[in-house]
Amino acid sequence: MGRKPDPSKQHYGGGASPRAARRTQPSPVFLGTALFVLGFVSLFTGHIVTDADWSRIRSRWRSKQVRNNEPINIWKSRYSNLYYGCSRRSVNFRSAVPENSSTGYLLIGTSGGLNQQRIGITDAVVVARILNATLVVPELDHHSFWKDDSDFSDIFDVDWFISYLSKDVTIVKRIPYEVMMSMDKLPWTMRAPRKSMPDFYIDEVLPILMRRRALQLTKFDYRLTNELDEELQKLRCRVNFHALRFTNFIQTLGEKLVRKLRSMSSRYVAVHLRFEPDMLAFSGCYYGGGDKERRELGEIRKRWDTLPELSAEDERSRGKCPLTPQEIGLMLRALGFSNDTYLYVASGEIYGGEETLQPLRDLFPNYYTKEMLAGNDLKPFLPFSSRLAAIDFIVCDGSDVFVTNNNGNMAKVLAGRRRYMGHKRTIRPNAKKLNLLFKRRKQMGWDIFSQKVKKVQRGLMGEPDDIRPGRDDFNEFPSSCICQRIPVNRSVTARAENL
């Protein structure tokens, strides 16, 4: 039944991916000399220097300017328009295997909250492609900490999902009744190891799938490696950034909240505060609340059986603790955001409630949440944590600046999406170095504190050259899907005159 997958082949195309290796940057003298040599060679060889040649030279100079010399525009990267998302299928990427010719039906049980499940769904499509399988629309997790009984079609536009990916993978809403009736046994159930390579799925999963005709992979989150060939990485991007579209009901309310914010201010900052009790308990960090805090967070921490004992002070010194709302506010003010900046805060229940939030409100009086903006429109969503998270996702994605406060799934997915969609400013706090500055804040004036904050945040402001291919999580840094714009050819002389 069905044909086995061919070994994956690597394909390239669609533009030059941004470089990320940290190398010694060329000086202006080097740039001038390089241009002269290239021009001189072209006189004798007839080779006209391409814009690709020019980009490779000049981009290194731009990178150094961004990192060391130029003041950073806190609202938008001046180089964002030089890059764009590129995830189109290459002509060599074969069409999806039809359902009746596939190796079997692949069922997926996702795990975690909305964005953890989103990552699992994305990888499920790629695994189905690797196996030449027919993918059954994934089942969402109804039993995790969030206990949300939403189905896939309650959150995502399922018909769009199936249609958009039809050339890549055949997807069905359920296994056909006649196929289920003809099966001798129920679908085989198994769990793949974390970050498995394609060979695992071909060697271990495929034989069972072909024998049983249907197979379910459970707890499917981060079960596929980051190290895939470029065409499969681009498929990941097509799923995550195009195929996974929220339902009209969710999208309409999210966009309404964005319009409300835009009606009050031409631009706004969105902060994923992530200072809920479960997050703090999971982190093992301590925030000065005495025995009461230790007791409350300790009880929550017992929900995870496998968590090790941690030193709160060690975790903070390693930069593993979420910043407090006040620390987030101080960082933003030090970076240059004034107190009349409009702030949207995406969060659940904040540990410590209004007392914890008040310092942030004092720093940014124009403070808004989905509850404040949506009013009664939010009532149908209240019983469903994933649908509420989807509203926050849309408003954060629509912001001019997005600020993360941990390295969680929403932070990764949104940071990657914003890079793909035009390198919209995304700020990731350097918690390790900021922690030292917060400790010493009273020992220095505000101007010195601000300078130091700006210095430690360089490289974490969402600039195009922050991307480090192969060294970071692909969901956060989708380097295979970021291309550099190539301008129309111009002569070497014209370029030299523009230096």
Side-chain angles (χ1 to χ4, degrees):
M1 171 183 172
R3 62 174 184 267
K4 292 186 178 181
D6 295 328
S8 297
K9 295 182 179 179
Q10 200 161 12
H11 303 281
Y12 300 91
S17 296
R19 294 175 178 253
R22 305 301 189 244
R23 299 174 181 170
T24 303
Q25 302 294 337
S27 67
V29 173
F30 170 81
L31 289 172
T33 302
L35 286 172
F36 174 80
V37 171
L38 288 169
F40 188 78
V41 169
S42 69
L43 292 175
F44 288 91
T45 64
H47 172 68
I48 301 301
V49 181
T50 67
D51 282 279
D53 299 326
W54 169 247
S55 294
R56 280 192 288 270
I57 296 170
R58 193 165 186 177
S59 65
R60 295 179 185 176
W61 172 237
R62 286 192 181 117
S63 178
K64 183 174 182 179
Q65 288 177 307
V66 170
R67 291 197 172 279
N68 300 321
N69 299 325
E70 295 180 350
I72 294 177
N73 180 334
I74 56 175
W75 287 100
K76 182 180 180 181
S77 169
R78 68 185 66 193
Y79 305 117
S80 60
N81 64 342
L82 298 177
Y83 299 90
Y84 64 99
C86 52
S87 62
R88 293 181 63 180
R89 307 164 74 250
S90 79
V91 294
N92 299 318
F93 200 61
R94 60 167 175 73
S95 297
V97 176
E99 182 179 355
N100 59 5
S101 302
S102 72
T103 54
Y105 293 91
L106 181 65
L107 298 98
I108 295 291
T110 59
S111 177
L114 173 64
N115 292 288
Q116 187 173 335
Q117 293 183 92
R118 187 184 187 110
I119 291 170
I121 294 166
T122 298
D123 287 350
V125 173
V126 179
V127 168
R129 171 79 189 195
I130 291 169
L131 296 174
N132 279 344
T134 295
L135 178 67
V136 180
V137 170
E139 294 181 6
L140 300 191
D141 185 354
H142 297 163
H143 307 290
S144 66
F145 172 81
W146 295 270
K147 291 184 170 53
D148 185 328
D149 62 1
S150 298
D151 292 323
F152 188 101
S153 59
D154 294 320
I155 296 175
F156 301 109
D157 184 335
V158 65
D159 293 323
W160 170 261
F161 177 73
I162 293 171
S163 173
Y164 188 89
L165 295 169
S166 60
K167 293 183 179 179
D168 298 308
V169 173
T170 298
I171 305 174
V172 296
K173 293 181 180 179
R174 61 190 65 84
I175 299 177
Y177 175 77
E178 59 272 17
V179 174
M180 287 293 293
M181 294 300 295
S182 68
M183 292 169 54
D184 297 330
K185 300 178 181 179
L186 293 173
W188 184 264
T189 298
M190 65 183 295
R191 186 180 303 177
R194 289 179 70 83
K195 299 184 179 180
S196 295
M197 299 294 288
D199 285 350
F200 168 82
Y201 290 99
I202 292 173
D203 297 339
E204 303 295 331
V205 177
L206 181 61
I208 301 174
L209 175 63
M210 296 185 73
R211 186 169 64 250
R212 298 292 290 263
R213 301 185 67 189
L215 180 147
Q216 182 180 40
L217 295 173
T218 62
K219 293 284 183 182
F220 201 79
D221 61 327
Y222 292 98
R223 305 291 166 175
L224 183 62
T225 180
N226 278 325
E227 301 171 12
L228 298 175
D229 72 56
E230 189 162 298
E231 282 297 333
L232 291 179
Q233 298 287 46
K234 286 181 181 291
L235 175 55
R236 262 180 167 152
C237 294
R238 290 197 292 278
V239 180
N240 199 355
F241 305 139
H242 297 283
L244 285 174
R245 189 167 73 179
F246 292 120
T247 62
N248 187 59
F249 188 49
I250 292 173
Q251 192 69 34
T252 298
L253 180 57
E255 291 175 355
K256 181 179 179 180
L257 303 194
V258 172
R259 288 195 300 272
K260 279 193 173 184
L261 285 165
R262 294 287 182 199
S263 69
M264 294 183 282
S265 176
S266 60
R267 54 192 185 185
Y268 69 95
V269 175
V271 178
H272 185 215
L273 201 50
R274 206 62 178 101
F275 206 74
E276 298 91 346
D278 67 295
M279 180 63 198
L280 303 189
F282 186 87
S283 72
C285 299
Y286 174 67
Y287 290 91
D291 291 340
K292 180 176 181 290
E293 178 187 325
R294 291 189 177 95
R295 183 176 62 257
E296 290 173 347
L297 298 185
E299 282 300 311
I300 297 173
R301 191 171 171 82
K302 291 178 182 177
R303 296 171 182 168
W304 296 280
D305 298 332
T306 58
L307 293 182
E309 289 294 325
L310 298 173
S311 163
E313 189 57 37
D314 287 348
E315 291 303 290
R316 182 169 292 278
S317 65
R318 293 170 58 215
K320 300 299 182 181
C321 294
L323 301 185
T324 67
Q326 181 180 29
E327 289 169 342
I328 287 286
L330 288 171
M331 178 195 72
L332 290 175
R333 291 295 299 274
L335 286 172
F337 293 98
S338 60
N339 79 326
D340 61 352
T341 298
Y342 276 69
L343 205 68
Y344 177 83
V345 174
S347 179
E349 173 196 358
I350 297 298
Y351 184 70
E354 287 301 314
E355 184 179 350
T356 303
L357 282 172
Q358 194 57 50
L360 178 60
R361 288 177 178 269
D362 292 341
L363 289 164
F364 293 96
N366 296 314
Y367 171 105
Y368 293 92
T369 64
K370 57 183 174 295
E371 290 81 6
M372 296 167 67
L373 293 170
N376 290 333
D377 289 345
L378 202 62
K379 282 186 177 179
F381 298 86
L382 293 177
F384 308 101
S385 61
S386 289
R387 300 182 207 185
L388 291 171
I391 298 296
D392 276 336
F393 188 100
I394 294 167
V395 183
C396 288
D397 188 38
S399 67
D400 298 271
V401 177
F402 174 59
V403 183
T404 71
N405 190 25
N406 74 322
N407 203 30
N409 296 299
M410 179 170 168
K412 289 178 182 177
V413 171
L414 257 177
R417 178 180 176 83
R418 290 170 68 86
R419 286 185 172 91
Y420 180 85
M421 296 296 182
H423 281 283
K424 293 190 287 185
R425 177 71 74 206
T426 301
I427 299 174
R428 181 172 49 155
N430 187 338
K432 182 177 181 179
K433 293 184 178 179
L434 286 172
N435 175 56
L436 296 174
L437 287 179
F438 291 135
K439 284 183 177 179
R440 302 170 186 165
R441 186 169 64 88
K442 294 182 180 179
Q443 302 171 15
M444 65 185 84
W446 177 257
D447 290 344
I448 297 298
F449 175 73
S450 177
Q451 289 174 15
K452 289 182 178 295
V453 169
K454 290 173 182 175
K455 183 176 180 180
V456 302
Q457 281 301 125
R458 285 205 176 254
L460 296 168
M461 298 290 287
E463 290 290 337
D465 67 342
D466 287 351
I467 291 181
R468 301 176 295 178
R471 294 178 58 190
D472 293 289
D473 187 291
F474 186 78
N475 297 291
E476 185 175 5
F477 295 91
S479 53
S480 299
C481 305
I482 309 293
C483 295
Q484 186 172 350
R485 297 188 189 279
I486 306 298
V488 178
N489 282 345
R490 294 176 298 176
S491 69
V492 173
T493 303
R495 290 180 183 130
E497 289 174 351
N498 289 331
L499 278 178

